[in-house]
Amino acid sequence: MSAMSIAGVGVTATSSALSPIALFLQADIVVKSVMIGLLLASIYTWAIILSSGLKMGRTLKASKAFEAEFWKSEDIDKVYDGPGRQDVPSAKLFTAGVGEWRRSVRITPVDREGTRARLATAMSAATSAEIDKLSDRLNILATIGSVAPFVGLFGTVWGIMRSFTDIAASQNTSLGVVAPGIAEALFATAIGLFAAIPAVIAYNRLLHRVGQIENHLHRFGDSLHLTLSRELERVK
């Protein structure tokens, strides 16, 4: 067999040994645990990204639809007893505001300034509650994004330590002996980055989306507050 053929076989064997599956199978239990944990974190990250993204899109669309229906209506009580009962952030804010308004105007004489303050507080609390629901799992993305690289680095350090131990035991420092262990160790870092990068990007993007929805709810709340304040002037 020619030298070129032998070299070709050697390159093929080395490439197979350095494939992702081979690197995982060759790793010891500690590095394997790190890799499996990071892969599970990556899967969970994408589940949160997809579910949260879809939820926020549906939420904003439903809120806009409710607001359009509300502004077209001339009877606040009719909206309160009908669409106002929907499980939509804008509807929840509306229900909180109108509910407080109804309770306040039952007390005579009506304290207009106190009622306005209570309306603002009730709608602000409803907005905060809805925003908390939307951003419930975003902290998990932030945690994975910040911790995953260090977990991967731990796997890398452990794998390199194991490689040096093997080198010392075999008394052989050739590339064929060193490469698989080093590649296996670096593969752990690569998986850590694979889990962390989407988590960080998605966290920032979804946090921005939550901020947009919050601002939208605040604008609706301010407009509703003005409307109820005008209604309050008609109360004797």
Side-chain angles (χ1 to χ4, degrees):
M1 184 180 291
S2 65
M4 186 175 294
S5 299
I6 294 173
V9 172
V11 170
T12 303
T14 302
S15 299
S16 300
L18 297 181
S19 67
I21 296 176
L23 290 175
F24 173 78
L25 295 176
Q26 293 167 9
D28 70 352
I29 186 62
V30 174
V31 180
K32 279 182 180 177
S33 299
V34 168
M35 291 179 180
I36 292 172
L38 290 172
L39 286 173
L40 291 176
S42 180
I43 293 171
Y44 191 37
T45 293
W46 281 105
I48 293 174
I49 292 172
L50 294 175
S51 62
S52 296
L54 292 173
K55 181 180 179 180
M56 289 179 192
R58 289 194 302 266
T59 295
L60 188 57
K61 183 179 179 180
S63 291
K64 287 181 177 179
F66 169 78
E67 291 165 28
E69 187 173 352
F70 167 71
W71 293 121
K72 286 190 296 185
S73 175
E74 297 181 356
D75 189 343
I76 292 179
D77 291 327
K78 186 176 180 181
V79 177
Y80 181 84
D81 296 327
R85 298 299 182 180
Q86 296 177 11
D87 188 17
V88 175
S90 291
K92 294 289 186 67
L93 188 155
F94 168 80
T95 301
V98 175
E100 180 57 42
W101 185 82
R102 286 183 169 185
R103 287 189 294 270
S104 295
V105 296
R106 291 196 190 108
I107 303 172
T108 54
V110 176
D111 180 5
R112 288 179 171 80
E113 292 306 315
T115 299
R116 290 189 177 96
R118 288 191 293 272
L119 285 174
T121 301
M123 290 190 289
S124 178
T127 299
S128 297
E130 294 304 310
I131 293 302
D132 286 344
K133 290 179 184 177
L134 286 175
S135 58
D136 182 40
R137 294 190 294 173
L138 295 189
N139 63 317
I140 298 175
L141 293 181
T143 301
I144 292 174
S146 60
V147 172
F150 294 102
V151 175
L153 184 61
F154 168 75
T156 297
V157 171
W158 185 274
I160 290 175
M161 288 171 57
R162 178 170 168 263
S163 296
F164 282 131
T165 302
D166 292 342
I167 291 170
S170 63
Q171 297 293 317
N172 189 344
T173 59
S174 67
L175 186 61
V177 174
V178 176
I182 300 298
E184 160 200 317
L186 294 175
F187 187 50
T189 295
I191 297 177
L193 294 175
F194 178 77
I197 292 174
V200 172
I201 294 173
Y203 173 75
N204 290 323
R205 180 58 190 163
L206 291 174
L207 194 64
H208 175 70
R209 194 77 183 275
V210 169
Q212 287 181 321
I213 295 173
E214 184 176 13
N215 291 335
H216 182 85
L217 291 176
H218 280 308
R219 286 193 294 271
F220 175 66
D222 291 340
S223 299
L224 180 60
H225 190 275
L226 290 174
T227 301
L228 293 177
S229 293
R230 284 193 293 270
E231 289 293 325
L232 192 60
E233 295 299 327
R234 300 175 187 173
V235 178
K236 296 181 181 181

